[in-house]
Amino acid sequence: MTPPKGKPKYDTRRAWAEARKLMWEHRRSVGIGLVLMIISRASGFVLPLSTKYVFDEVVPGKDVRLLGLIALAGLAATIVQALTGYALSQVVSVAAQQAIARLREEVQGHLIRLPVRYFDSTKSGVLVSRVMSDPEGIRNLIGTGLIQLTGGILSAIGAMAVLIYLNWRLTLAAVIPLVVFGAGLSIAFRRLRPIFRERSVIQAEVTGRLTETLGGIRLIKVYTAEEREKRVFGEGVQRLFRNIAKTITGTSLTGTIGLAVVGVIGVIAIYIGGRDVILGRMTIGSLLTFGIFIAMVTAPLISIASIGTQITEAFAGLDRIRELRDMATEDQEDAHKQAVPAVVGHVAFEHVSFEYEPGVPVLRDVSFDAPAGTTTALVGSSGSGKSTMISLIMAFAQPQQGAIRVDGTPVSDLKLRDYRHHLGVVMQDNFLFDGTVRENIAFTKPGATEEEIVAVATIANAHDFISQFPEGYETIVGERGVKLSGGQRQRVAIARAILADPRVLILDEATSSLDSESEHLIQEGLRRLRAGRTTFVIAHRLSTITSADQILVLEKGQIVERGTHHQLLALGGRYRDLYNRQYQLEQDQFINPGEEIAATG
């Protein structure tokens, strides 16, 4: 887990624009919140102002009636303040949670429409953090944070007006430390912003590593790597701790300075205010009221330190979300591309070259033609380019040179959502969602009937084992299908692909996890499925592709042989070598272990 390179950039202008957009979308709740806040803060002025009249008029004049009226006014103001405070928290808190939920939906919806290349280069834990953690900060914009900040500023302005009315000289002397404190806050927030932004980056990396660890827990236990994973995760947690410690230091320092400012202002008020009372420039009631209102000015400024850091963190989260949303989705890239109402299934590669990293070619000048309804098998050693060709057919990537045509049109000119509606795929690593068997089979056709689901499961030789489960098709398969065996997962995936009724079918090691009996039965089902569809098959078991219309043998990203099974055997080249080697391995599996030991003895 390496630290991020360089300091993350913070775009204040863009963050403010995003904040304004959010507040405008929730302007009704924010507006109601501001009104309630103003009423609450205004009612909070009643008791402090009554102090002056109590000590300057009620006590000297012994006016019990006026004292009662002031007390009633204070009680009424307290009730209003309590009620508006409660209503404020209810209105803005609900609005904030609604905004968080909506933003998460929007970010996730945008994220899953990004090109596959983005997911290939970004950890899933980082993406989870973008969707779940970054929107949390906006509670401080739509919720109580920003409204409290606004209320604090308005209260400070109102209190300042009262202070000037009471004693403008004393107010001027007390304001100087506040101005210095405000300037210090501005500098502190400017330095804290990049730290908050870096914190989310680190937290996303730590979350990503934890996600990987939990996903690979079986591998970790097999190789007794628990301590190693604990150490790697611990390093990330310590980086996160150091980042948080920096922000704690910054916010604590601003709070401490704020308390010091309050103390300095208190000293100024005691000395100058006491002197003015002695000289008759100020009454005792005015001095006591001044002390209360100076606290009403300083308290919001101190609270700004904590609220301000929360809002700064929210801006950093919005900035990261905006970075993600600025990335063009596949739909945006396809906006002006050709619609695909139907696909016949004629696929052709024309001098295709591809590389993931510049200067490291994976495919080199690959050309072949797969007429509609035919089966093309891809054979070769690991790393020869088979999976890359499949990825290009599914339009997960685009070739650097050449073209891939479907029914005569380059795939790069087609709307990918339309094109992929005509694809069906069974991958080597079959992914199942944590749901029921029925939901996983019906994933490609959510409205499928019971008869359709059972029919495709029967073709895939899955119906029998599904029926033996106590819950049948309602059986929960677990995360990534962990409650099913490898062969069972593969048969469910095959049934899912059959239900999609694709024009172009891709089978990537579709029978690799099956025993010989199940493989034979599924091959019959796949043979019926392939009828009338263009099929591409990657298979290490060469016995499963003997009926293919053409077999392409790849080595180092190039097609070195092509033809039918019998043609390639007769050719006596690379395919014959692979076939003989595999045939010998299969024969060795049937040797009686006892005989083998006797022979070697």
Side-chain angles (χ1 to χ4, degrees):
M1 205 180 287
T2 56
K5 297 179 181 179
K7 291 185 177 181
K9 295 181 180 179
Y10 183 85
D11 193 335
T12 306
R13 181 181 299 178
R14 188 169 69 172
W16 268 110
E18 188 71 13
R20 287 196 300 271
K21 179 184 175 183
L22 271 171
M23 288 185 284
W24 178 252
E25 289 176 357
H26 298 271
R27 56 189 178 278
R28 183 173 178 273
S29 298
V30 173
I32 293 174
L34 287 172
V35 171
L36 291 172
M37 179 272 302
I38 291 172
I39 294 173
S40 178
R41 297 284 180 167
S43 59
F45 275 51
V46 174
L47 281 176
L49 282 172
S50 64
T51 304
K52 174 177 173 57
Y53 296 100
V54 169
F55 284 94
D56 288 350
E57 297 181 22
V58 173
V59 173
K62 300 180 181 180
D63 192 340
V64 177
R65 180 176 174 278
L66 181 58
L67 181 63
L69 292 174
I70 291 174
L72 286 174
L75 178 62
T78 301
I79 294 172
V80 170
Q81 190 173 19
L83 291 176
T84 53
Y86 174 77
L88 174 64
S89 64
Q90 288 295 301
V91 171
V92 298
S93 295
V94 171
Q97 290 302 323
Q98 183 183 38
I100 291 170
R102 184 180 301 174
L103 186 57
R104 281 175 176 158
E105 290 177 6
E106 292 175 358
V107 174
Q108 188 266 359
H110 184 88
L111 176 66
I112 60 177
R113 294 189 184 280
L114 292 177
V116 173
R117 61 180 178 271
Y118 177 71
F119 298 92
D120 291 339
S121 60
T122 310
K123 289 183 178 181
S124 58
V126 173
L127 301 180
V128 169
S129 179
R130 287 284 180 95
V131 175
M132 298 303 296
S133 300
D134 285 349
E136 278 286 340
I138 68 172
R139 73 170 74 241
N140 296 307
L141 298 176
I142 309 302
T144 55
L146 187 63
I147 291 176
Q148 286 177 348
L149 181 64
T150 305
I153 293 172
L154 291 178
S155 294
I157 292 172
M160 187 66 69
V162 174
L163 292 174
I164 293 173
Y165 167 75
L166 292 172
N167 190 325
W168 68 268
R169 298 184 197 81
L170 182 55
T171 300
L172 182 62
V175 162
I176 294 174
L178 289 177
V179 172
V180 174
F181 179 60
L185 279 182
S186 176
I187 295 172
F189 290 156
R190 193 158 52 244
R191 293 186 177 180
L192 286 173
R193 282 183 195 133
I195 299 175
F196 278 120
R197 180 170 173 78
E198 185 185 21
R199 177 191 298 182
S200 293
V201 173
I202 298 172
Q203 189 164 4
E205 289 183 355
V206 172
T207 304
R209 185 66 187 199
L210 179 59
T211 303
E212 288 180 347
T213 300
L214 297 178
I217 190 65
R218 287 171 173 77
L219 189 66
I220 290 170
K221 288 186 175 296
V222 166
Y223 291 106
T224 61
E226 291 93 340
E227 286 300 319
R228 185 166 66 248
E229 285 301 310
K230 179 183 177 182
R231 185 171 60 255
V232 173
F233 182 73
E235 290 172 358
V237 169
Q238 288 302 313
R239 284 178 52 218
L240 183 61
F241 162 73
R242 288 192 293 271
N243 177 277
I244 294 174
K246 289 180 183 178
T247 59
I248 291 175
T249 301
T251 53
S252 298
L253 185 60
T254 55
T256 301
I257 295 173
L259 291 175
V261 168
V262 172
V264 170
I265 292 174
V267 171
I268 293 173
I270 290 173
Y271 180 76
I272 298 179
R275 191 163 173 266
D276 283 353
V277 170
I278 294 172
L279 295 175
R281 296 175 183 171
M282 196 175 189
T283 64
I284 294 177
S286 294
L287 180 60
L288 291 173
T289 304
F290 189 94
I292 295 173
F293 273 91
I294 199 67
M296 294 179 67
V297 172
T298 55
L301 289 178
I302 294 173
S303 68
I304 286 173
S306 60
I307 297 173
T309 53
Q310 293 170 3
I311 292 176
T312 299
E313 190 171 3
F315 282 168
L318 287 175
D319 196 32
R320 288 188 300 273
I321 289 173
R322 173 52 58 189
E323 281 181 0
L324 185 66
R325 296 171 79 172
D326 281 347
M327 297 179 185
T329 63
E330 289 182 332
D331 291 345
Q332 291 169 331
E333 292 177 351
D334 291 352
H336 303 293
K337 292 183 180 180
Q338 181 177 329
V340 190
V343 167
V344 176
H346 184 178
V347 179
F349 272 52
E350 298 177 353
H351 305 287
V352 171
S353 295
F354 179 82
E355 52 189 38
Y356 292 104
E357 299 179 8
V360 184
V362 179
L363 295 179
R364 309 163 186 258
D365 195 29
V366 172
S367 296
F368 70 89
D369 191 71
T374 63
T375 296
T376 299
L378 307 178
V379 175
S381 57
S382 178
S384 59
K386 304 184 299 297
S387 296
T388 298
M389 288 177 63
I390 293 299
S391 181
L392 292 174
I393 293 170
M394 292 188 289
F396 290 159
Q398 296 294 336
Q400 278 83 22
Q401 295 179 6
I404 301 167
R405 297 182 182 274
V406 175
D407 300 337
T409 304
V411 171
S412 57
D413 292 344
L414 302 177
K415 288 185 182 294
L416 296 183
R417 285 176 61 81
D418 291 351
Y419 169 58
R420 287 176 183 153
H421 277 306
H422 304 285
L423 296 179
V425 60
V426 181
M427 305 298 287
Q428 183 176 5
D429 180 20
N430 292 305
F431 184 93
L432 300 184
F433 291 92
D434 185 12
T436 66
V437 173
R438 180 191 309 279
E439 290 168 342
N440 275 281
I441 293 177
F443 185 77
T444 54
K445 189 179 179 181
T449 64
E450 178 76 14
E451 291 74 16
E452 289 176 316
I453 292 173
V454 172
V456 297
T458 302
I459 294 175
N461 195 31
H463 178 69
D464 289 343
F465 81 77
I466 295 172
S467 301
Q468 292 174 4
F469 293 141
E471 301 296 329
Y473 282 84
E474 301 304 321
T475 300
I476 301 295
V477 302
E479 186 177 5
R480 300 182 69 90
V482 69
K483 294 182 180 180
L484 303 182
S485 69
Q488 289 172 337
R489 287 198 298 272
Q490 220 155 13
R491 279 176 272 179
V492 170
I494 291 171
R496 180 170 61 191
I498 295 171
L499 187 61
D501 192 23
R503 302 309 309 159
V504 178
L505 178 65
I506 295 168
L507 306 174
D508 186 354
E509 297 292 337
T511 60
S512 62
S513 297
L514 305 178
D515 54 65
S516 298
E517 182 180 356
S518 297
E519 179 184 336
H520 173 72
L521 292 172
I522 289 180
Q523 285 296 343
E524 291 298 321
L526 291 177
R527 197 169 286 116
R528 292 193 296 271
L529 172 65
R530 294 202 310 258
R533 294 180 173 85
T534 307
T535 305
F536 294 90
V537 182
I538 295 179
H540 287 301
R541 290 187 185 180
L542 302 185
S543 59
T544 64
I545 58 171
T546 55
S547 62
D549 295 288
Q550 66 173 335
I551 298 172
L552 306 179
V553 183
L554 285 89
E555 289 297 332
K556 297 181 180 180
Q558 294 180 304
I559 298 176
V560 295
E561 293 176 4
R562 70 181 76 201
T564 65
H565 171 70
H566 295 294
Q567 289 171 342
L568 292 176
L569 284 181
L571 186 63
R574 176 61 174 160
Y575 182 80
R576 179 62 179 263
D577 181 49
L578 292 172
Y579 184 82
N580 288 343
R581 188 180 306 170
Q582 189 173 109
Y583 180 78
Q584 184 61 45
L585 288 174
E586 291 175 353
Q587 289 300 308
D588 289 344
Q589 292 175 1
F590 291 99
I591 295 176
N592 186 295
E595 293 178 355
E596 188 175 13
I597 292 171
T600 57

